[in-house]
Amino acid sequence: MSTPAISLNDGTSIPWLAFGSGTAFFGKDASKPVTDAIRAGFRHIDAAQMYKNEEYVGAGIAAAGVPRAELYITTKLNKVPEGQTVRDLLVDSLRKLRTDYVDLFLIHMPTLHEDLKATWREMEGVQREGLARSIGVSNFSLRYLREVLEVATITPAVNQIEYHPYVSRAGASLIATHKEHNITTSSFGGLTPLIRATGGPLDAVLTKIAARVAQGSGKAVTEGQVLQLWLRKKGIVCVTTTSKLERLQEYLAVRALPDISDEEVAEIDEVGSTQHHRAFVSFPIALCRVHTDYTVTCRPNG
Ligand SMILES: NC(=O)c1ccc[n+]([C@@H]2O[C@H](COP(=O)([O-])OP(=O)(O)OC[C@H]3O[C@@H](n4cnc5c(N)ncnc54)[C@H](OP(=O)(O)O)[C@@H]3O)[C@@H](O)[C@H]2O)c1
């Protein structure tokens, strides 16, 4: 069964479900998990220069034996060292990932770039050259997105952000701006209400909806799958990950589940908005610097 795809503003499309090589695999040999994910049915692999494991991701992709054209590979730009260019860093990623283009190249963190507008112009250059089919951003709050939009001749196709019901109220104006510019939202941390903010007001709602979908579909349904159905119904890319084979099957099984109803989406939105929990980089981060090892230092009051 194939994964549904979402159309991007540049005419390409992106598979809705992605397997991430960050978080638990940061700096580690992710080759086997990547191979397992592709063999199980994932076709979208999410990588990053910052994860310091692109060689392993490349090895995992090669070992899976699926033709390159059937895969969708995302990677993300790290801080560009003095004397190097965005292109230099992307070419290095392509070598490590064993491919001659990525499907999507994202600026990983706005705060790692002194001159964001200049970085975006370089991103446009690598897309024009064909090294990246699509370009976009990640962890961009409104302020940074507007900065890029001021100079963009190519609108970012995607903004990959932490997104789940416990940040949806805080992220409402950003999502509205995405819609205005036809920028696709991609979510990481989507399972946060279930695994990083347990005991919250959504727990009972997710259990109730899981039971309703299970009854309607005749299939077992988990609370995590309901969170992923919530993203899918909103047209938001779901970037998730796991170190377990059975969890790969749980994620992929979402493809065969029906959409949740508009009323169920509204109930998750409403109950989710009563609690705020951000598990990753927080917005606004204007006064903070995120370092390549994910540590954050902030100026006073930042
Ligand atoms: N752009 C960025 O700055 C950024 C930041 C963070 C992440 N990402 C990307 O997003 C990917 C996904 O990461 P994520 O952690 O955000 O994804 P997530 O979907 O929020 O969480 C995935 C994690 O949830 C665990 N999990 C799933 N169901 C569970 C359950 N029922 N009970 C307990 N644990 C459960 C899995 O652990 P098991 O291994 O036990 O299955 C896995 O580690 C990363 O690998 C990376 O590629 C990007």
Side-chain angles (χ1 to χ4, degrees):
M1 178 177 289
S2 65
T3 303
I6 296 173
S7 299
L8 298 182
N9 62 13
D10 58 12
T12 65
S13 62
I14 182 169
W16 163 73
L17 185 64
F19 180 82
S21 61
T23 43
F25 304 118
F26 193 100
K28 295 196 180 131
D29 183 348
S31 55
K32 185 170 181 318
V34 167
T35 304
D36 289 344
I38 295 171
R39 289 204 176 136
F42 277 82
R43 290 294 175 267
H44 179 176
I45 301 296
D46 183 81
Q49 294 167 352
M50 193 185 284
Y51 302 159
K52 299 191 185 307
N53 62 4
E54 284 177 306
E55 286 102 332
Y56 295 118
V57 173
I61 290 170
V66 169
R68 172 67 184 91
E70 290 176 26
L71 296 174
Y72 190 97
I73 303 174
T74 297
T75 199
K76 312 185 198 82
L77 177 72
N78 203 350
K79 185 177 173 67
V80 183
E82 189 84 26
Q84 287 194 270
T85 63
V86 169
R87 186 182 188 282
D88 292 337
L89 267 66
L90 178 54
V91 166
D92 194 41
S93 284
L94 297 179
R95 179 185 57 77
K96 291 172 177 166
L97 292 166
R98 307 187 195 185
T99 182
D100 47 16
Y101 69 93
V102 285
D103 295 277
L104 179 62
F105 190 41
L106 305 174
I107 299 180
H108 201 150
M109 301 255 181
T111 47
L112 295 178
H113 305 275
E114 294 292 332
D115 185 345
L116 207 45
K117 291 176 175 163
T119 302
W120 186 254
R121 285 192 202 98
E122 289 192 65
M123 294 289 286
E124 292 188 347
V126 296
Q127 184 185 19
R128 287 202 186 91
E129 203 185 329
L131 301 177
R133 298 248 161 111
S134 299
I135 51 173
V137 297
S138 179
N139 298 301
F140 271 48
S141 60
L142 261 183
R143 170 211 150 135
Y144 295 114
L145 193 57
R146 285 194 182 122
E147 200 175 324
V148 159
L149 288 171
E150 268 175 38
V151 294
T153 61
I154 300 170
T155 301
V158 167
N159 187 8
Q160 187 187 106
I161 54 172
E162 176 178 347
Y163 199 73
H164 49 75
Y166 288 154
V167 292
S168 60
R169 191 178 45 168
S173 53
L174 180 61
I175 300 295
T177 305
H178 288 176
K179 287 193 177 136
E180 192 188 320
H181 293 275
N182 199 11
I183 295 168
T184 293
T185 307
S186 175
S187 151
F188 63 81
L191 295 175
T192 294
L194 192 67
I195 61 172
R196 303 181 185 97
T198 43
L202 264 182
D203 288 8
V205 175
L206 297 176
T207 302
K208 181 184 76 178
I209 297 174
R212 204 279 305 155
V213 180
Q215 198 175 32
S217 65
K219 297 184 168 81
V221 178
T222 66
E223 286 82 356
Q225 288 175 324
V226 173
L227 284 167
Q228 294 173 335
L229 288 170
W230 176 81
L231 290 171
R232 189 177 78 190
K233 180 86 175 180
K234 285 175 177 276
I236 295 176
V237 176
C238 173
V239 184
T240 187
T241 192
T242 181
S243 49
K244 300 185 174 76
L245 287 176
E246 63 273 20
R247 197 96 74 200
L248 287 175
Q249 295 305 334
E250 179 185 336
Y251 297 155
L252 288 164
V254 174
R255 297 178 301 181
L257 294 178
D259 280 345
I260 56 174
S261 68
D262 290 339
E263 292 72 26
E264 287 166 335
V265 169
E267 186 178 7
I268 293 173
D269 286 344
E270 194 184 315
V271 175
S273 73
T274 63
Q275 176 156 317
H276 179 76
H277 184 102
R278 194 177 289 287
F280 294 84
V281 181
S282 55
F283 295 137
I285 50 177
L287 296 172
C288 301
R289 285 203 85 73
V290 182
H291 302 284
T292 48
D293 60 357
Y294 267 133
T295 55
V296 180
T297 50
C298 298
R299 282 186 264 149
N301 306 320

